[in-house]
Structures are given as C-alpha cells and as structure tokens.
Amino acid sequence: MISPVTPATVLVVEDDPRTAALLELYLRDHGYDPTVVHDGNEALDAARRVQPALVVLDLMLPGVDGWQICRALRDEGDVPILILSARQEEQDRLAGLRLGADDYVVKPFSPREVVLRVDAILRRSRRTGAPPTAERGIRVDRTRRSAVSYGREVNLTPSEFKLLDALVGQPGRTFERRDLLESLYPGGGYVVPKVVDVHIAKLRQKLEPDPTQPVHIVTVRGFGYRYEREAGQ
C-alpha cells in the first residue's frame, strides 16, 4: 500500500477574516494544509508550533506588525515567506525582500496567483535541497543573499549571511570575535560575544560537508575563526 502524502502546512497571517478565509479555501483546494492566525502576536507562536513549509504574511497587523514578524522569522530560520500588503511602493517591496521575504504580492490580489506563487516558492525550496553537484566549496550569492555549498543553494538568516560574507570576503584571514560582531552590528551596542559562536555553529550545520569536522569555517583556538577555500577554488 502506498502511504498518502502529507500536505504541506502553510501558515496564513492575515487580520481580515474574509481575505484569510479565501486564502484558506484556495490553499486547501490546492492540496495544502493551511493554518490561519489573525493577530501579529499569535504569528510567531503559531510558526514555532506548526513548523510550516511556508508563511503567507500580511504586513499591516494588530499587535506585532508584519515587518517585525518577518525579521524574527528570518533570525530564527529559513522558512519561505510570501508577503501580502496593500503597500505597493517600490521601496516597500524592496524593504520586504531585504528583510528576507521570498516574494511580495500587492493587495488586492488574485487568490489563484497567490497559490501559484506558493507553488513556485516551494518548488525552489525543494530544488535547493537536492544532492550536491560536482561544484566544489562554498560561495556567497550576494544577489539572493544566500550561499551555495557544493552546488546546493542554502538559505541563510540575515545574521548568518553577514558573518559568512565577511569570512568568505577575506579567505585565510583570522577574524577575532569582536571583528565579526562589528559585521553583525556595525552600529555598536552591547552584545554577548558568544552570539558569534552560535551563528558559526549554524553556518557549519548548513554549509560544511561534515559539521563536526569543519574544513571551511575553521576555529583558530584562542583567537576566532578563519575561512579556508576548497583546493582549486
């Protein structure tokens, strides 16, 4: 007997009940398992609880707004985010994409278009999980603000991207933790240096062939971290 395929969960964060109900209907008809919340305060709790394959996120929400939710989701992981908003200025779209959203749809919208965009985003996400190709080493894709590890595209949080970009930009240089903190927080302010170690551990999990024996993001004991190129890169 063939086991049924579990439908992908899509978290819809939308305060307008009619819009939310319409999206829920179209997503369910298209084979997804939608979870709907109407309040920004509920969004992060719901995301942590249901672990969605994708988040459809309105920007103008009661409580915590969509900008803050998008930023928090990106800091915590790489779940794909599709922003819905009545804000149609180019600067708003660019701001959403800079925060880490994968797509931006302006209201009013066609629910069919939203579902097709959800399909497209999840197809791209599945492709990035494909086995490594013959391409060697790690490189930074600054246009997509992501990384490619042995031919496999990897989504990074903004903090992970900043750290990796700093390291890869000067291969062979040993960075002290305070140097990497400056890359993360150029405006200064008190931050626990250990935060660098946490982000480095996550980068290794995502990028290294064997995170327990890193060959690219190397620890320099007593100093900090260094990026080593793959031979032949």
Side-chain angles (χ1 to χ4, degrees):
M1 175 189 282
I2 299 175
S3 300
V5 176
T6 302
T9 300
V10 175
L11 175 61
V12 177
V13 186
E14 168 61 61
D15 66 322
D16 179 67
R18 293 181 62 184
T19 301
L22 192 61
L23 287 169
E24 182 179 15
L25 174 65
Y26 273 80
L27 286 165
R28 199 175 300 282
D29 284 350
H30 207 70
Y32 292 107
D33 179 21
T35 295
V36 177
V37 297
H38 302 288
D39 189 315
N41 292 318
E42 302 173 35
L44 287 176
D45 286 341
R48 293 165 184 148
R49 184 178 70 254
V50 305
Q51 295 291 300
L54 182 142
V55 178
V56 177
L57 177 64
D58 186 20
L59 288 180
M60 307 303 291
L61 294 165
V64 183
D65 67 32
W67 299 110
Q68 294 171 277
I69 294 166
C70 185
R71 188 179 294 110
L73 287 171
R74 271 295 155 268
D75 285 342
E76 292 188 13
D78 54 9
V79 61
I81 301 170
L82 170 61
I83 285 178
L84 300 178
S85 178
R87 304 174 67 136
Q88 56 185 311
E89 297 297 324
E90 181 183 24
Q91 63 189 27
D92 293 316
R93 298 180 188 228
L94 293 177
L97 296 174
R98 287 193 189 102
L99 277 179
D102 295 84
D103 205 347
Y104 190 111
V105 176
V106 174
K107 296 179 178 181
F109 56 80
S110 159
R112 290 187 180 88
E113 180 188 358
V114 171
V115 171
L116 288 176
R117 289 186 185 233
V118 168
D119 287 344
I121 293 169
L122 290 178
R123 276 199 306 272
R124 291 198 298 269
S125 297
R126 285 192 287 269
R127 282 202 299 269
T128 62
T133 66
E135 184 179 341
R136 306 295 293 171
I138 298 169
R139 63 180 175 84
V140 171
D141 186 336
R142 292 183 177 87
T143 301
R144 298 174 65 88
R145 298 189 69 78
S146 63
V148 177
S149 174
Y150 292 81
R152 175 177 56 89
E153 186 176 5
V154 179
N155 291 322
L156 303 175
T157 67
S159 294
E160 291 166 357
F161 177 84
K162 289 175 186 175
L163 276 184
L164 183 65
D165 195 29
L167 289 164
V168 171
Q170 298 186 61
R173 172 189 166 182
T174 297
F175 285 82
E176 294 185 34
R177 285 178 178 81
R178 66 171 179 240
D179 298 324
L180 294 173
L181 279 174
E182 178 63 24
S183 298
L184 284 175
Y185 307 102
Y190 177 75
V191 183
V192 179
K194 206 70 175 175
V195 72
V196 170
D197 301 328
V198 173
H199 289 309
I200 290 291
K202 291 180 179 178
L203 281 172
R204 286 170 170 166
Q205 287 291 332
K206 292 182 177 184
L207 300 171
E208 292 279 1
D210 180 357
T212 64
Q213 296 183 339
V215 294
H216 295 294
I217 303 173
V218 179
T219 299
V220 181
R221 194 172 299 279
F223 290 95
Y225 298 97
R226 181 178 69 240
Y227 175 75
E228 295 286 355
R229 285 186 172 134
E230 178 85 11
Q233 266 191 290

